[in-house]
Amino acid sequence: MRSLTFYDLIEAFDQSGCAICRLALRDVKRHLDSLLYEYSTDPQVHRAMRNGRGLCNVHSWQLTEIMGSALNTAVLFSSALLAVRETATMNGSARRTAERLAPRVVCSACQTLHQTEQFCFEVFVRSLDEPTFAATWQASDGLCLPHLRLLLPLVTADQAARLLSHQQTVWRRLQDELEAFQRSFQAEHSAEPLSQAVATSWQRCIAMLTGERSVFGLARHD
Ligand SMILES: [Zn+2]
Ligand SMILES: [Zn+2]
């Protein structure tokens, strides 16, 4: 599955927040949809469910949030449960049994997420000097800190300086919005209407410093 292109990244720069988080979450959502609706009877998917003991915690629960997913989720997890039942026999020490019960493969949604991230980094490295890419990047919300930190070692010193210069602009604007948000709680300002940017600044700051929800803190095996 390689649906992501240079233009996806350009388009994602137009939306709010980190473009890499956004594309990674989009591709995870597509992957989960395809697990449910295209591959729920595919033997390879069932093998992955068995060997993975399901998906990881975050992505297993994300499946349940997809409308109409109950039956196909039941089919997929039935395979995982069967594998756990077959493996959960005392054959050697308790420690060995615990080891055999561990997932043997990385969650396929996590793999999708990491592939998308890697592809985004490759596009950045190839395209940072390209005028269209550079201009849309300059007009974007920048990257979250974890994605910026992963990208920086992959680019030249000159490109890194340009990445940081734009991030500094984005962060300065966010800090101003956070300060306006805090001021709005003081009695003399409480009647003033808040702009959307100011009202959402505290949540956007969490996203900018830690990534969007369910992008980090997952199994990383790369
Ligand atoms: Zn990000
Ligand atoms: Zn996962």
Side-chain angles (χ1 to χ4, degrees):
M1 188 204 70
R2 176 43 55 89
S3 53
L4 187 70
T5 69
F6 170 90
Y7 297 100
D8 288 308
L9 205 48
I10 298 263
E11 269 177 38
F13 285 153
D14 259 354
Q15 297 165 29
S16 73
C18 170
I20 300 182
C21 281
R22 201 154 295 295
L23 289 173
L25 290 174
R26 180 202 69 175
D27 286 353
V28 164
K29 175 74 173 60
R30 285 182 181 173
H31 175 75
L32 295 178
D33 284 340
S34 75
L35 272 189
L36 286 173
Y37 299 115
E38 290 164 37
Y39 302 117
S40 65
T41 54
D42 180 332
Q44 251 191 325
V45 170
H46 284 271
R47 195 170 318 121
M49 289 299 285
R50 279 200 299 276
N51 289 335
R53 317 308 185 208
L55 300 176
C56 74
N57 179 263
V58 165
H59 292 133
S60 295
W61 285 109
Q62 204 175 327
L63 272 185
T64 69
E65 289 158 13
I66 298 174
M67 189 82 92
S69 68
L71 174 60
N72 288 351
T73 301
V75 172
L76 292 171
F77 271 79
S78 181
S79 288
L81 178 60
L82 193 58
V84 167
R85 290 175 55 209
E86 286 163 4
T87 311
T89 53
M90 274 300 284
N91 182 5
S93 69
R95 179 185 294 271
R96 279 271 304 141
T97 305
E99 280 166 8
R100 279 188 290 113
L101 283 167
R104 290 187 206 158
V105 293
V106 179
C107 160
S108 60
C110 285
Q111 284 182 39
T112 299
L113 190 148
H114 299 149
Q115 279 167 9
T116 298
E117 284 178 326
Q118 287 311 316
F119 185 77
C120 288
F121 293 143
E122 286 164 23
V123 172
F124 260 95
V125 168
R126 267 204 316 274
S127 315
L128 264 174
D129 300 323
E130 202 271 312
T132 310
F133 188 92
T136 46
W137 159 253
Q138 289 292 334
S140 78
D141 279 355
L143 295 179
C144 68
L145 184 60
H147 279 139
L148 178 70
R149 289 187 55 231
L150 289 167
L151 176 61
L152 280 174
L154 307 176
V155 301
T156 65
D158 185 51
Q159 289 172 330
R162 274 183 283 137
L163 284 174
L164 282 179
S165 154
H166 178 53
Q167 287 291 152
Q168 287 284 6
T169 306
V170 168
W171 289 332
R172 193 178 321 115
R173 193 165 56 219
L174 179 59
Q175 192 107 54
D176 289 345
E177 289 157 356
L178 278 171
E179 280 163 19
F181 182 73
Q182 292 168 76
R183 276 197 306 279
S184 75
F185 284 81
Q186 294 162 3
E188 65 269 33
H189 298 288
S190 61
E192 292 168 16
L194 297 185
S195 70
Q196 175 78 357
V198 170
T200 61
S201 60
W202 57 290
Q203 289 145 318
R204 287 187 297 111
C205 188
I206 293 175
M208 278 312 258
L209 293 185
T210 73
E212 294 290 340
R213 194 191 294 263
S214 306
V215 173
F216 293 95
L218 300 163
R220 287 188 174 258
H221 290 249
D222 45 10

